[in-house]
Amino acid sequence: MTEPRLFLRLDLTSRVRLGPGKIRLLEAIEREGSISAAGRALKMSYRRAWLLIDELNSYFREPLVETQLGGTGGGKASVTALGRTVIRAYRAMEKDAEHMVRRRSAPLVRRLKAGR
Amino acid sequence: MTEPRLFLRLDLTSRVRLGPGKIRLLEAIEREGSISAAGRALKMSYRRAWLLIDELNSYFREPLVETQLGGTGGGKASVTALGRTVIRAYRAMEKDAEHMVRRRSAPLVRRLKAGR
């Protein structure tokens, strides 16, 4: 991981919060195809993953994740077009912010103690 | 406070972390002229304020805050030129990031549920 590193939490409103945890979970669902597999991949309990998705889905007019009741092997989940829009917008903000921060923090980094 | 709001934590290196708490403390010392008054203004214990300043001072080649032993009324503290540079750089990053985020998050905000 390159430095400096930036951690962004974005409050769209006081009750609508997007941060790295929720975005990583959306990405894992896209990759893994289910909430349980995404939770396992992130070492997050199924309950925790499910609650985060429920919260994300409650923010927007349409869901970010859709679930299908499972037969053998459990239910599937997929990220909707709006979910992908949210992931992309968040990652684009992060990238923009990283470029800006790298530029603006250069004078500070030069004045750090050696080994810091 | 306008929305969306952004919270930035900047790790200049893995051991050098700048976030809103430390920056607010530097600003309060600049305003109040002592660590104890700054702590009180931020409802932070003297010990906590002192530890944060000690940590900040350990990051850079020169201190961000200088203290003078106090006579009556306790010791004074002042923010150095480098301290002011750090405050300004952090606040400039935050402002840049807020503009960028406001622009990039507009399509998401439009798709929030009413009342969210």
Side-chain angles (χ1 to χ4, degrees), chain B residues 25-68:
Chain B
L25 179 58
L26 286 174
E27 289 170 335
I29 289 169
E30 200 170 23
R31 206 165 53 233
E32 306 286 342
S34 80
I35 295 180
S36 55
R40 276 195 302 277
L42 299 177
K43 301 187 198 317
M44 182 187 284
S45 71
Y46 178 76
R47 179 180 157 74
R48 166 102 179 126
W50 193 89
L51 286 173
L52 285 174
I53 293 303
D54 196 49
E55 190 181 335
L56 277 169
N57 277 348
S58 77
Y59 291 161
F60 292 93
R61 293 170 195 215
E62 304 140 62
L64 305 192
V65 172
E66 280 175 340
T67 51
Q68 295 95 45

Side-chain angles (χ1 to χ4, degrees), chain A residues 3-16 57-62 82 85-86 89 92-93 96-97 100-101 103-105 108-113 115-116, chain B residues 3-16 57-62 82 85-86 89 92-93 96-97 100-101 103-105 108-113 115-116:
Chain A
E3 291 175 336
R5 290 187 67 191
L6 188 69
F7 298 83
L8 283 188
R9 195 187 88 201
L10 173 63
D11 290 8
L12 289 177
T13 75
S14 61
R15 282 170 298 168
V16 174
N57 277 349
S58 77
Y59 291 160
F60 292 93
R61 293 170 197 214
E62 304 139 63
L82 180 57
T85 298
V86 170
M93 287 184 230
D96 279 1
M100 176 275 290
V101 158
R103 182 169 47 76
R104 284 219 187 256
S105 65
L108 306 187
V109 170
R110 278 198 297 274
R111 298 176 83 168
L112 291 176
K113 271 187 196 148
R116 268 300 199 165
Chain B
E3 290 175 338
R5 290 187 68 192
L6 187 69
F7 298 83
L8 283 188
R9 194 186 91 201
L10 172 63
D11 290 7
L12 289 177
T13 74
S14 60
R15 284 169 298 169
V16 174
N57 277 348
S58 77
Y59 291 161
F60 292 93
R61 293 170 195 215
E62 304 140 62
L82 180 57
T85 298
V86 169
M93 285 183 232
D96 280 1
M100 177 275 291
V101 158
R103 181 169 49 77
R104 284 220 186 254
S105 64
L108 306 187
V109 171
R110 278 197 298 275
R111 299 176 82 168
L112 291 176
K113 270 185 196 149
R116 266 303 198 164

